[in-house]
Amino acid sequence: MSKQVEVSVIIANNQIKWWERDGGVRFLKEVGLKSGQRVLDFGCGVGHYTIPAGRIVGSTGSVYAVDKERQAVNKLKQKAKANNLKNVKAMKASGQIELDFESESIHTVLFYDVLHYLGKNDRKKLYQEAFRVLKENGLLSVYPKHTAEDDPIQEFRSLSLSDVKQEIEDLKFVFEQKHCGLISHDDGLNQGCVLNFRKYE
Ligand SMILES: C[S@@+](CC[C@H](N)C(=O)[O-])C[C@H]1O[C@@H](n2cnc3c(N)ncnc32)[C@H](O)[C@@H]1O
């Protein structure tokens, strides 16, 4: 590894450490996470959002973190242990579009940087599942990275941010606010926006 690459890896690692300890906690509090909540982080990866969420919900809450990649789930389990976050429950997902939770059992669902993996029908199923598992007034927070305006790839190549907002509103969710800032993406930080929706019966 060249000296320059080595230095950028160190900088990225430090950014992520800061994010999981400090920046991400502040950001997710502003998004609406609170102490005592039951949070579901679908497509959690190695937990760049799960770890700060675990700090916020505290010992009276839980963060259920699911991902179809076993390696990511195992890494997250190690990190949760190293951070003494007993409230983080990391689970390997089947890869099917189902949320294995009781109806109306979750306060907040996070779909962060994951929706672009899914085709239109699967996204629709996933929004319906989020609606089912959320409590009344529950929060669905979405980070739709990789839309047409922001490094477009995979299923989001031809969708704008407002197309994604519309497809979620079409499934009965009520748009509440857009929240922007310096946020985690992959192994670094970038400027990004999350969209918040509420479930109102
Ligand atoms: C780009 S990563 C984002 C990780 C994390 N949410 C973040 O923002 O840092 C997307 C993750 O979604 C997971 N994923 C994609 N489709 C999935 C599915 N159907 N079920 C569960 N996890 C899925 C992938 O394995 C990957 O770890």
Side-chain angles (χ1 to χ4, degrees):
M1 206 188 286
S2 76
K3 198 81 195 157
Q4 208 180 347
V5 173
E6 219 174 291
V7 169
S8 15
V9 170
I10 292 168
I11 292 172
N13 284 345
N14 284 337
Q15 282 182 338
I16 288 298
K17 276 193 191 141
W18 169 82
W19 170 261
E20 290 186 348
R21 195 189 53 236
D22 194 350
V25 173
R26 245 179 291 156
F27 184 81
L28 288 178
K29 276 187 183 168
E30 286 163 11
V31 163
L33 271 67
K34 292 186 173 58
S35 171
Q37 286 191 334
R38 287 160 62 92
V39 174
L40 167 58
D41 184 5
F42 178 86
C44 58
V46 295
H48 294 326
Y49 290 92
T50 317
I51 296 291
R55 297 195 199 287
I56 296 170
V57 303
S59 58
T60 56
S62 299
V63 184
Y64 304 97
V66 300
D67 201 287
K68 64 179 183 173
E69 295 298 332
R70 187 174 298 284
Q71 244 186 319
V73 172
N74 287 343
K75 187 152 183 210
L76 172 54
K77 281 182 180 170
Q78 286 167 12
K79 276 205 298 189
K81 198 168 175 199
N83 284 284
N84 199 26
L85 289 169
K86 298 194 178 78
N87 56 359
V88 167
K89 329 269 185 217
M91 290 169 273
K92 158 101 175 59
S94 65
Q96 300 299 308
I97 305 306
E98 61 195 0
L99 301 179
D100 198 8
F101 295 89
E102 279 182 24
S103 299
E104 308 200 353
S105 62
I106 302 287
H107 296 94
T108 299
V109 172
L110 306 179
F111 292 156
Y112 279 10
D113 190 22
V114 62
L115 292 171
H116 60 283
Y117 281 72
L118 309 177
K120 193 174 170 56
N121 288 341
D122 279 350
R123 292 198 304 277
K124 185 174 170 186
K125 259 194 240 168
L126 193 60
Y127 304 143
Q128 285 168 330
E129 275 290 87
F131 199 90
R132 180 184 66 76
V133 301
L134 276 170
K135 292 173 180 279
E136 166 102 53
N137 301 330
L139 172 68
L140 169 62
S141 185
V142 177
Y143 176 22
K145 181 75 182 167
H146 302 301
T147 53
E149 325 65 351
D150 183 11
D151 190 14
I153 54 167
Q154 290 168 290
E155 301 290 337
F156 273 10
R157 275 187 315 269
S158 54
L159 288 185
S160 66
L161 190 65
S162 70
D163 292 330
V164 178
K165 174 174 172 277
Q166 187 61 57
E167 69 178 18
I168 298 175
E169 290 178 302
D170 289 345
L171 270 295
K172 298 208 294 195
F173 280 102
V174 177
F175 176 68
E176 189 180 61
Q177 63 152 340
K178 180 170 161 182
H179 192 76
C180 302
L182 187 67
I183 58 176
S184 158
H185 176 248
D186 291 342
D187 287 324
L189 302 178
N190 70 181
Q191 285 295 330
C193 295
V194 304
L195 305 178
N196 276 1
F197 301 84
R198 289 275 165 197
K199 167 182 173 174
Y200 296 123
E201 289 292 0

